[in-house]
Amino acid sequence: KAGVTQTPRYLIKTRGQQVTLSCSPISGHRSVSWYQQTPGQGLQFLFEYFSETQRNKGNFPGRFSGRQFSNSRSEMNVSTLELGDSALYLCASSPYRDSDEKLFFGSGTQLSVL
Amino acid sequence: KQEVTQIPAALSVPEGENLVLNCSFTDSAIYNLQWFRQDPGKGLTSLLLIQSSQREQTSGRLNASLDKSSGRSTLYIAASQPGDSATYLCAAGGFKTIFGAGTRLFVKA
């Protein structure tokens, strides 16, 4: 069974640009959540999608958005990039996000904003 | 607001030693507690998950315990090996999964 796939692996952008990251969950998993990881703030929750609906959202500005498609694949978009958006962006999937389900993470997208 | 703290921030031990990593959380209204391993530049690998109604879970040389009343979890690693060197993170599961900053472990051969 294929794991969680994130593309691209690396991205370099300049301030003011926008970026779209993609996440394909494990087959059969309907919950996809996104996290930002930086050396200073650690891992922070961005949002979670289930069956194309955003169920939970972290404390990030509106420049960060996401969506989920009918096949459970998810994308996140960051508009008007800032230097501080440089981070490793991770997505995780689970079947339903129930209490007995582990989270399975992708390898992440390393975003550098210049 | 849930806050998760991990102690120590870093740990260096000789091979073969048994060790304990600590995790504390402020809000006991969690539905699970997970321990993850992260290698440099990589994603996270789930090691153990303890549901809120459980007290501990074991997998091989790893044992994790959960005490919701005191807001604490521990990860016990027996007979450590150089391959165990990584960052270990705990996460309090709820509507939003909140992660600790991690413990960087280095096991010397």
Side-chain angles (χ1 to χ4, degrees):
Chain A
K1 208 174 197 182
V4 178
T5 304
Q6 290 188 247
T7 56
R9 185 73 180 90
Y10 301 95
L11 263 180
I12 299 176
K13 294 286 187 179
T14 56
R15 280 180 298 173
Q17 288 187 310
Q18 75 164 22
V19 67
T20 299
L21 312 181
S22 179
C23 173
S24 294
I26 291 173
S27 178
H29 286 194
R30 295 166 63 185
S31 169
V32 174
S33 49
W34 288 88
Y35 301 83
Q36 181 196 66
Q37 186 175 34
T38 60
Q41 298 296 318
L43 260 164
Q44 294 185 286
F45 173 78
L46 280 156
F47 28 66
E48 185 234 349
Y49 286 87
F50 181 82
S51 291
E52 302 178 66
T53 300
Q54 186 182 91
R55 283 201 298 198
N56 296 294
K57 189 176 189 304
N59 298 321
F60 279 81
R63 300 185 297 107
F64 292 81
S65 63
R67 59 178 174 168
Q68 187 179 34
F69 301 95
S70 59
N71 62 358
S72 295
R73 189 178 71 86
S74 178
E75 289 180 346
M76 69 163 280
N77 185 77
V78 188
S79 63
T80 319
L81 284 166
E82 301 177 359
L83 294 179
D85 297 333
S86 295
L88 179 66
Y89 290 87
L90 294 162
C91 80
S93 76
S94 64
Y96 297 98
R97 198 70 184 275
D98 284 341
S99 64
D100 62 341
E101 295 173 4
K102 290 182 176 180
L103 289 177
F104 293 85
F105 279 82
S107 297
T109 294
Q110 184 69 55
L111 173 64
S112 297
V113 182
L114 307 178
Chain B
K1 179 189 171 188
Q2 179 72 275
E3 292 182 4
V4 179
T5 304
Q6 291 189 244
I7 294 172
L11 185 61
S12 180
V13 300
E15 182 177 7
E17 203 163 283
N18 301 324
L19 55 101
V20 175
L21 308 182
N22 297 291
C23 172
S24 61
F25 47 94
T26 55
D27 186 350
S28 62
I30 61 173
Y31 60 69
N32 63 38
L33 191 292
Q34 291 190 68
W35 283 93
F36 294 86
R37 168 188 173 134
Q38 186 176 29
D39 294 286
K42 302 285 184 62
L44 281 67
T45 301
S46 181
L47 298 172
L48 291 166
L49 178 149
I50 312 174
Q51 295 183 70
S52 62
S53 59
Q54 298 173 326
R55 297 283 293 182
E56 67 176 339
Q57 284 290 329
T58 298
S59 176
R61 295 183 293 109
L62 305 179
N63 174 274
S65 66
L66 174 63
D67 184 344
K68 276 183 57 178
S69 62
S70 66
R72 293 183 181 183
S73 177
T74 61
L75 177 67
Y76 175 82
I77 302 177
S80 58
Q81 302 170 358
D84 295 331
S85 298
T87 296
Y88 291 80
L89 299 105
C90 69
F95 287 112
K96 306 171 186 178
T97 297
I98 305 299
F99 283 81
T103 294
R104 284 190 300 168
L105 172 65
F106 180 65
V107 181
K108 298 171 285 188

